Amino acid sequence: MKRFTYILFLFFFVAKGLCAQKNCNVYKYRGDDTCYVACKTAIKADQYQEGSQASQILLSRSINQCSNMDYAYYRKSIPYLKSGDFVEWRRLIDQAVEINPAVYLGYRGWCRFNFLRDFDGALSDINQLDKMYDGDIGYADSGVYHLNVIKALCFKEKGQTRKAIRIMEAQFKTIKYVPGYYDYLHLGVMKLEAQDFEGAERALQKQIVHNDYVAETYFFLALAKQGIGKTYESLHLLETAYEKYKKGERRYSPYTSPIDKIYLIDIENELARLGSLSER
């Protein structure tokens, strides 16, 4: 039930975010009939498969009709991002950001983090966006991560683990903040990296309560248990992680390797290591 509720929330968020069609009436209210027509052309492209010739032709036509059509630049860039043509993606998305930074800075920052592992670039975009808002800067395009969590993960991957922990814990204390799908998992891994095994254990136990789905939680909790000398519990958790992984309950993305993802060999190696220790 918890997972179903989250999926509904995610659908609602994405539907209201970048994936929602642009409101062309904005241009009509301004008396800009040319860009109104261009906006309608861009929306017409959404009727076709993303990245198809028909879609890309219409998006190019929209840009030719109105050079400030940020939505068309954004939509036209997506197939290049997914196919790994980051040069062309960057050329197009930079145009969208220049036209409408408030909408696209966070998205570009998320993509730089998730697809390019450009942590400095992602931080730059998120910090620029932060300067534009007095309040909440919002979520990444996927709706799974708050942009402050992305910021924390950037510092984690840059080796600044304690700074990452401070940002994560500050986000948890934000009024009305609902922890994301993997927030406690990432905090637990950060605590592990900081050698705070008890803190890691607490965070990962919260992750199980919040989202008892992925094998990664049990794997990292097993490492935390080892850190505080609970080897038997660690072995049991690794076995659970193995079962979950084999069932497909693990971190997955069709385009990238998610942060703090593990592989079956990681679990097998740790099980073998613990097995050899118990035989001594």
Side-chain angles (χ1 to χ4, degrees):
M1 181 63 183
K2 184 183 295 182
R3 191 169 174 226
F4 177 70
T5 303
Y6 174 81
I7 291 170
L8 284 179
F9 162 78
L10 179 59
F11 174 80
F12 175 76
F13 174 84
V14 173
K16 292 192 69 176
L18 285 172
C19 291
Q21 287 185 342
K22 192 172 182 70
N23 181 7
C24 297
N25 288 327
V26 170
Y27 299 103
K28 189 170 241 184
Y29 295 147
R30 295 175 187 166
D32 190 342
D33 292 337
T34 301
C35 286
Y36 174 76
V37 171
C39 182
K40 288 293 188 181
T41 302
I43 287 178
K44 186 177 180 181
D46 292 341
Q47 300 173 13
Y48 299 93
Q49 183 177 352
E50 183 181 87
S52 66
Q53 184 180 34
S55 173
Q56 294 295 83
I57 287 173
L58 285 168
L59 291 169
S60 295
R61 184 181 302 165
S62 172
I63 292 167
N64 289 335
Q65 291 169 334
C66 175
S67 60
N68 287 328
M69 189 51 56
D70 53 311
Y71 181 73
Y73 282 111
Y74 158 67
R75 294 295 295 171
K76 188 173 176 63
S77 76
I78 294 173
Y80 294 104
L81 177 70
K82 292 181 177 179
S83 65
D85 187 346
F86 299 126
V87 172
E88 185 61 13
W89 168 76
R90 185 63 190 271
R91 184 186 72 81
L92 292 164
I93 199 59
D94 283 359
Q95 293 284 339
V97 171
E98 184 176 348
I99 297 164
N100 200 343
V103 171
Y104 296 104
L105 265 173
Y107 167 74
R108 188 176 69 181
W110 154 251
C111 291
R112 293 171 86 169
F113 162 80
N114 191 50
F115 288 84
L116 280 73
R117 296 297 192 254
D118 175 12
F119 304 120
D120 289 328
L123 285 169
S124 175
D125 281 347
I126 296 170
N127 287 333
Q128 285 184 62
L129 183 65
D130 209 1
K131 291 176 183 177
M132 300 174 66
Y133 284 93
D134 291 330
D136 193 345
I137 59 174
Y139 287 74
D141 181 50
S142 65
V144 174
Y145 289 112
H146 193 278
L147 286 170
N148 283 333
V149 173
I150 297 298
K151 188 186 294 188
L153 289 171
C154 285
F155 282 113
K156 170 187 177 296
E157 293 302 301
K158 282 163 58 68
Q160 300 179 46
T161 307
R162 296 193 183 281
K163 186 170 185 177
I165 291 171
R166 288 196 297 273
I167 294 171
M168 285 289 290
E169 291 182 335
Q171 185 60 32
F172 282 127
K173 293 176 183 176
T174 302
I175 296 173
K176 295 184 179 180
Y177 179 67
V178 178
Y181 212 35
Y182 304 110
D183 283 8
Y184 286 116
L185 168 64
H186 294 308
L187 179 61
V189 176
M190 291 174 192
K191 297 273 188 178
L192 270 176
E193 293 177 357
Q195 301 290 294
D196 178 5
F197 300 114
E198 291 182 351
E201 181 186 28
R202 287 193 296 272
L204 293 164
Q205 291 284 13
K206 287 181 180 179
Q207 178 65 33
I208 290 174
V209 173
H210 186 65
N211 165 29
D212 181 20
Y213 182 69
V214 295
E216 280 81 359
T217 306
Y218 289 87
F219 176 80
F220 290 116
L221 182 56
L223 299 187
K225 293 286 189 181
Q226 289 179 46
I228 55 180
K230 298 180 179 179
T231 306
Y232 178 77
E233 290 183 38
S234 175
L235 182 60
H236 176 69
L237 289 163
L238 286 170
E239 290 169 348
T240 302
Y242 184 86
E243 292 169 3
K244 281 184 166 292
Y245 199 99
K246 295 287 281 186
K247 288 192 293 185
E249 296 178 6
R250 56 187 184 266
R251 299 219 62 202
Y252 171 76
S253 167
Y255 304 109
T256 65
S257 179
I259 298 295
D260 295 330
K261 173 181 172 57
I262 62 169
Y263 296 88
L264 192 60
I265 190 67
D266 297 318
I267 305 172
E268 291 173 340
N269 285 345
E270 196 60 29
L271 281 168
R273 191 185 69 82
L274 282 185
S276 65
L277 285 176
S278 64
E279 292 171 1
R280 293 178 184 176

